Amino acid sequence: MISKKTVFILGAGAHIPYGFPSGKNLIDDVVNQLIYAQRDDTFTLNFLPQRGGVNIDVVQQKNINTFIQSLSQAGQASIDSFLNANQHKTGFDILGKVGIAQTLLRVEEKFIVERSNDKDSNNDWFEYLFAKMCNGVSKANHFLRDNNVSFISFNYDRLLEHKFFNALKYSFSTENDKDALEMVRAIPIHHVYGSLGEYDPNNFGQINYWETAFKSIQTIHEVVAEHSEVVRSAKQELEQADKICLLGFGYHKENIELLDLARVIEEVNSNVVACRFGVTDEEMRRVTLSNKIRERKLEIGKEGEDALNTLRNRQAFDS
């Protein structure tokens, strides 16, 4: 069990071991998906005015073509940053959300197909964490009672919820899916920029769900302008944390500022564990310098240390 309040901040990199795209790859995937959607009636954007309640001017072909060309050529680090920089462009936010929803629902579906009978790779950090949470826990109703763990996710997909659902269902042989689902929904998981909708095993990876799913996604400027309740809850989790661990986090400035991480890192009693797989020494130095983070407050993993090995080798939690 993990009794001290521990908050995990998850970026796109945390889900890469399970077949999900990085922030950069998601841009390419969305471009390809929208090109494909123009030829396939299942994904056609023409449905949006009737079924999605979207102004028909938004989905004119000229807007779609402009969006695809702009996104493919922009060179942004993430689609979130691209949408934030183009909030003034007609329809870009809607088209971006639709592209994200269609793309990630496909990936969720692929995850189900490929992982239904097979264990995940040797990089399965979730399994390692779940085992720690189950240590000393013998009953399903003690799992939530004895663990004090929460998650702040910058990912739109519901992979984390799905992994918890299956792990809880089969670890404790719950009598029905409803019991396992109730436990999942009791775990604090805050999707900062929204998600593909509330997790339900019946809509996870369901492609036809995209017409509803895109509405649950938020852009950076929407989150800021609306003073997001999710962000407030996430900040409250961080304020109360004994330990904080960043996994697969891209260290983009807007995300650091959104959660006021520089101040939180300074004020938390213990060092913050920071996975930085693929981030060089110089890039990490720039992150700490530009965001006024004292590097000695971070327990930084090695450049080649993935999420699993960060959890294994760093003091991410006490159990």
Side-chain angles (χ1 to χ4, degrees):
M1 72 188 76
I2 301 175
S3 56
K4 286 189 176 181
K5 185 167 182 57
T6 305
V7 180
F8 293 90
I9 302 177
L10 307 180
H15 291 185
I16 290 177
Y18 309 103
F20 285 75
S22 66
K24 190 68 174 176
N25 288 341
L26 180 58
I27 291 177
D28 296 333
D29 292 348
V30 168
V31 168
N32 292 332
Q33 174 59 39
L34 290 179
I35 292 173
Y36 175 81
Q38 295 182 89
R39 305 192 303 267
D40 190 304
D41 289 342
T42 305
F43 297 98
T44 180
L45 303 181
N46 295 332
F47 287 153
L48 286 173
Q50 295 83 17
R51 301 182 189 178
V54 174
N55 189 311
I56 196 169
D57 293 335
V58 168
V59 292
Q60 288 183 2
Q61 194 61 49
K62 63 178 182 180
N63 291 340
I64 299 172
N65 291 339
T66 300
F67 178 86
I68 291 173
Q69 182 180 25
S70 298
L71 181 59
S72 64
Q73 299 296 321
Q76 290 275 9
S78 69
I79 193 168
D80 311 287
S81 299
F82 172 80
L83 294 177
N84 192 45
N86 287 275
Q87 55 187 279
H88 60 287
K89 297 289 289 185
T90 301
F92 272 33
D93 55 345
I94 297 295
L95 296 172
K97 292 175 184 180
V98 168
I100 291 168
Q102 291 183 350
T103 298
L104 292 181
L105 283 168
R106 278 183 176 276
V107 181
E108 286 186 352
E109 179 188 47
K110 184 179 179 182
F111 176 84
I112 294 174
V113 172
E114 293 186 351
R115 309 299 175 96
S116 58
N117 296 315
D118 299 324
K119 297 290 286 184
D120 285 311
S121 69
N122 293 329
N123 299 320
D124 191 350
W125 63 265
F126 174 85
E127 184 179 270
Y128 181 82
L129 174 62
F130 186 79
K132 295 297 182 184
M133 295 176 72
C134 287
N135 187 26
V137 178
S138 59
K139 298 180 180 179
N141 61 342
H142 291 177
F143 182 84
L144 294 173
R145 184 197 69 181
D146 295 343
N147 282 288
N148 196 0
V149 173
S150 59
F151 300 85
I152 298 171
S153 178
F154 285 90
N155 299 318
Y156 303 112
D157 62 75
R158 288 83 48 85
L159 173 67
L160 182 63
E161 289 89 335
H162 191 66
K163 295 279 283 182
F164 264 119
F165 175 78
N166 283 319
L168 289 166
K169 177 180 177 179
Y170 294 109
S171 289
F172 297 105
S173 299
T174 54
E175 294 184 1
N176 55 58
D177 287 0
K178 182 180 178 182
D179 293 337
L181 184 58
E182 287 180 355
M183 291 181 68
V184 172
R185 289 178 175 170
I187 299 170
I189 301 175
H190 309 279
H191 288 271
V192 176
Y193 295 136
S195 67
L196 299 177
E198 184 177 31
Y199 173 74
D200 187 308
N202 296 316
N203 66 37
F204 184 82
Q206 293 297 311
I207 301 298
N208 292 333
Y209 185 64
W210 72 265
E211 296 169 29
T212 301
F214 84 90
K215 297 177 183 178
S216 298
I217 294 172
Q218 287 192 296
T219 61
I220 295 174
H221 63 271
E222 286 174 333
V223 168
V224 173
E226 295 173 11
H227 303 288
S228 168
E229 179 60 36
V230 174
V231 173
R232 283 198 293 271
S233 297
K235 286 182 176 179
Q236 187 175 22
E237 296 278 7
L238 291 170
E239 297 279 357
Q240 299 171 354
D242 295 309
K243 288 184 172 290
I244 299 172
C245 179
L246 292 82
L247 297 179
F249 190 62
Y251 301 100
H252 301 310
K253 193 171 185 64
E254 62 264 29
N255 292 338
I256 291 174
E257 292 177 347
L258 187 67
L259 295 180
D260 200 10
L261 272 182
R263 180 186 60 80
V264 169
I265 289 172
E266 183 65 29
E267 294 180 358
V268 69
N269 288 329
S270 62
N271 283 356
V272 172
V273 171
C275 174
R276 56 135 177 166
F277 183 74
V279 180
T280 67
D281 290 342
E282 176 58 24
E283 287 171 331
M284 202 67 203
R285 186 192 70 81
R286 291 180 207 148
V287 166
T288 56
L289 185 63
S290 64
N291 292 285
K292 299 180 180 179
I293 298 172
R294 285 194 296 166
E295 193 167 332
R296 66 183 181 86
K297 285 288 295 182
L298 299 175
E299 188 177 347
I300 303 174
K302 297 178 181 178
E303 182 181 344
E305 201 169 53
D306 61 15
L308 172 60
N309 284 301
T310 297
L311 293 182
R312 294 178 67 188
N313 298 328
R314 313 290 156 184
Q315 293 183 331
F317 46 75
D318 292 327
S319 61

